[in-house]
Amino acid sequence: MKVEQLFTGCLAEMAYYIESNGEAAIIDPLRETEPYIRMAEADDAKIKYIFLTHFHADFVSGQYDLAQKTGAKIIFGPNATAEYEIYNGKDGEEFPLGGGKITLLHTPGHTMESSSYLITDEEGNTPYVCTGDCLFIGDVGRPDLAVKQGTLTEKDLAGHLYDSLRNKIMTLPDDIIVYPNHGAGSACGKNMSSETFDTLGNQKKTNYALRADMTKEEFIEEVTTGLKPPPQYFPNNVRMNKSVNTSIDEVLHRGTTPLDSATFKEMSEQKDVLVIDTRSKESYTEDGTVPGAWYIGIDGSFAPWVGALIKDINQKIIFIADDELRVNEIVTRFSRVGYDNTLGYLNGGIQDWKAQGYEVDKIGSISAHVFAEKLAKGEMEKPVDVRKESEYLSEHVKGVENFPLDFIHQNFAEIDTDKEYFLHCASGYRSLVAASIFKANGVDKVTDVRGGFKDLKETDAPMTDYVCPTTLL
């Protein structure tokens, strides 16, 4: 039996491809269908099942389009309902696949339909369990995303999660490999490991939530403490995952439309159109950008920031790319978090825009050493750290206030557009995103600190005492 973990770094998401004797199954597929179809074709296999561990909140999954193209059966656990045809598996139900089988284990807690999938190979061994968002490496799924007012609280869900872990997962063999749906960087847990798999036995030793002597009350307290509000796009993605959406092929066809500079300019000036600059940090700062554009670089945590910062899931979007060969990838990554209304890209890039004589916006940029010198001399009006609050509280430059990028829209009323701002983050990605939004919202004097806090630590800038971030949860 072939079992492949398919890791997507931008979303910290893991899908799975399983094949045995010409039959294949996909667990938690992404929006794009072609990679799975090609994998099955390479194995001369037919995709028989599409298993979902739950209705995902942090990305739009591709079960409907994939089923339409392959005829595969879409399988959820108990309690799932959708606008399209699904099969609700029962706890313990077995699904034959080639010479092996996949067994559904109902593991509610993250959501009530949440299920894990136990993989049995041709020899009858059970080498893997795909745990979805029930059990991560070093963490468990957050229990606050499926709360139903008046009927189901986060403590209720946490209690279900405790029972699922103790009765369904922790009873499996210690040498079984745990394959979760997410890793570090996902907002579906609090403190996930960067590892993408581990043995259950090692997780019992190292994962706080699997401590043998932990009571249910202690577990509920642990997993509900320190939860931050989820990104604003999460409910939209859950809704989309229960619905029939525009096909990914149509989204890609429309979004990859080349727009000449004149057309792009006309569209960029429309109030209901947002320009996103996806280029590298270097290209963005050196060459400038289209006035009013937001910077969200494709080589950073692109999709989660798109979802966190663009409030309207139906927002009309046009974009700028470094390389036209990456246009398809960019539209795909917008669509992974449900932003399907991309209308095209700047043909010829920013160089053609400038060749037409059109105006560009530029963000100021200084080194960490220059920042430290200016700070020491009192030459800064508004030095700002845009990292998460927990990062800031862990360690920061003295005299610098915290203004997390995650909540930039909610807190923008605090910004004085007449002041000059100097922004830094951990390494320089988030600060450019924030600077571009400052600029687009009327802050004319905004400067990015290259290299961010990482480089600032190598200067003489005064630092607060370090506090371990895990103690701040």
Side-chain angles (χ1 to χ4, degrees):
M1 177 175 280
K2 176 189 288 187
V3 180
E4 291 190 39
Q5 183 185 67
L6 309 172
F7 179 72
T8 302
C10 181
L11 294 170
E13 189 270 353
M14 285 82 91
Y16 296 90
Y17 171 83
I18 304 141
E19 187 274 333
S20 175
N21 297 346
E23 293 185 338
I26 313 297
I27 299 178
D28 289 334
L30 290 179
R31 189 81 179 272
E32 55 269 31
T33 57
E34 288 308 306
Y36 310 113
I37 292 171
R38 287 198 300 269
M39 291 178 76
E41 288 175 346
D43 288 333
D44 196 22
K46 176 178 174 57
I47 298 177
K48 184 178 182 181
Y49 305 115
I50 305 164
F51 293 102
L52 280 300
T53 57
H54 62 294
F55 289 112
H56 298 280
D58 61 312
F59 69 99
V60 180
S61 46
Q63 63 271 11
Y64 180 78
D65 281 355
L66 187 57
Q68 291 296 107
K69 292 181 179 181
T70 64
K73 181 182 287 189
I74 300 171
I75 297 168
F76 278 90
N79 307 315
T81 57
E83 291 181 4
Y84 47 88
E85 184 178 352
I86 65 173
Y87 178 84
N88 288 109
K90 299 178 181 64
D91 183 36
E93 185 169 355
E94 297 177 351
F95 298 87
L97 186 76
K101 64 183 178 182
I102 297 176
T103 304
L104 186 152
L105 306 176
H106 187 212
T107 50
H110 178 65
T111 67
M112 288 308 293
E113 79 280 357
S114 287
S115 297
S116 300
Y117 295 98
L118 181 66
I119 298 171
T120 303
D121 65 19
E122 295 86 349
E123 287 74 43
N125 302 313
T126 53
Y128 311 105
V129 60
C130 295
T131 54
D133 286 21
C134 172
L135 176 61
F136 298 127
I137 307 306
D139 202 0
V140 292
R142 56 191 296 168
D144 61 324
L145 300 183
V147 168
K148 293 184 179 178
Q149 295 300 324
T151 59
L152 196 63
T153 69
E154 63 181 42
K155 289 190 174 183
D156 293 331
L157 285 161
H160 285 298
L161 185 57
Y162 177 89
D163 292 337
S164 294
L165 290 165
R166 263 64 187 175
N167 301 330
K168 300 289 179 63
I169 301 300
M170 293 177 70
T171 58
L172 297 171
D174 278 355
D175 63 352
I176 199 168
I177 298 294
V178 173
Y179 272 148
N181 182 239
H182 287 296
S186 168
C188 290
K190 291 192 297 184
N191 194 35
M192 285 178 254
S193 169
S194 59
E195 300 299 323
T196 62
F197 62 91
D198 194 7
T199 64
L200 177 60
N202 194 52
Q203 281 302 291
K204 287 179 180 178
K205 296 175 185 175
T206 59
N207 190 323
Y208 74 95
L210 303 190
R211 200 178 75 234
D213 61 350
M214 179 180 275
T215 67
K216 192 170 190 174
E217 290 70 27
E218 288 172 336
F219 178 89
I220 291 171
E221 180 69 20
E222 283 272 10
V223 301
T224 58
T225 298
L227 288 172
K228 300 296 183 185
Q232 60 89 29
Y233 72 101
F234 272 27
N236 290 320
N237 278 195
V238 172
R239 175 183 52 78
M240 291 182 73
N241 281 323
K242 295 180 178 182
S243 306
V244 176
N245 305 302
T246 305
S247 77
I248 187 62
D249 297 334
E250 184 178 337
V251 172
L252 289 170
H253 177 73
R254 182 177 61 233
T256 55
T257 301
L259 304 170
D260 62 60
S261 291
T263 303
F264 196 92
K265 183 175 186 296
E266 181 182 346
M267 292 178 70
S268 74
E269 292 170 349
Q270 296 172 11
K271 290 184 177 180
D272 62 344
V273 175
L274 179 63
V275 181
I276 301 294
D277 194 324
T278 71
R279 294 174 297 151
S280 69
K281 293 185 291 187
E282 294 75 19
S283 295
Y284 175 77
T285 53
E286 290 172 13
D287 296 331
T289 193
V290 171
W294 292 7
Y295 173 78
I296 309 179
I298 193 66
D299 290 321
S301 296
F302 178 77
W305 282 120
V306 165
L309 296 171
I310 302 176
K311 293 181 179 180
D312 183 2
I313 198 81
N314 298 310
Q315 174 68 55
K316 294 177 183 177
I317 297 169
I318 55 178
F319 63 94
I320 309 167
D322 260 329
D323 185 346
E324 292 186 7
L325 295 176
R326 299 190 72 180
V327 164
N328 193 84
E329 174 194 355
I330 292 165
V331 176
T332 298
R333 288 170 70 173
F334 273 117
S335 73
R336 283 177 181 166
V337 284
Y339 291 78
D340 289 356
N341 211 3
T342 45
L343 304 178
Y345 69 97
L346 179 57
N347 194 21
I350 202 68
Q351 301 308 326
D352 187 77
W353 176 273
K354 291 163 77 171
Q356 303 305 315
Y358 297 141
E359 179 186 354
V360 296
D361 269 351
K362 276 200 168 187
I363 299 295
S365 178
I366 59 172
S367 70
H369 284 282
V370 171
F371 177 90
E373 291 171 2
K374 283 180 163 292
L375 186 67
K377 294 175 182 177
E379 295 178 353
M380 289 186 178
E381 280 187 294
K382 287 287 185 179
V384 172
D385 183 335
V386 302
R387 295 177 299 159
K388 293 179 184 292
E389 182 185 34
S390 59
E391 294 174 273
Y392 176 81
L393 293 175
S394 173
E395 189 179 19
H396 62 267
V397 178
K398 291 180 179 178
V400 175
E401 65 180 288
N402 187 215
F403 191 83
L405 174 60
D406 306 64
F407 306 108
I408 190 169
H409 298 304
Q410 297 94 311
N411 298 330
F412 208 84
E414 300 173 16
I415 298 301
D416 184 342
T417 56
D418 294 326
K419 301 289 187 184
E420 182 174 12
Y421 286 84
F422 294 82
L423 310 182
H424 77 265
C425 60
S427 61
Y429 179 85
R430 285 175 287 176
S431 56
L432 267 187
V433 176
S436 71
I437 296 174
F438 273 46
K439 188 83 170 178
N441 283 274
V443 181
D444 290 328
K445 295 178 286 186
V446 58
T447 300
D448 175 64
V449 182
R450 296 189 303 274
F453 191 70
K454 176 173 162 287
D455 283 5
L456 283 168
K457 290 190 72 171
E458 303 301 318
T459 72
D460 294 329
M463 300 285 172
T464 61
D465 293 334
Y466 175 78
V467 178
C468 181
T470 57
T471 67
L472 300 169
L473 292 175

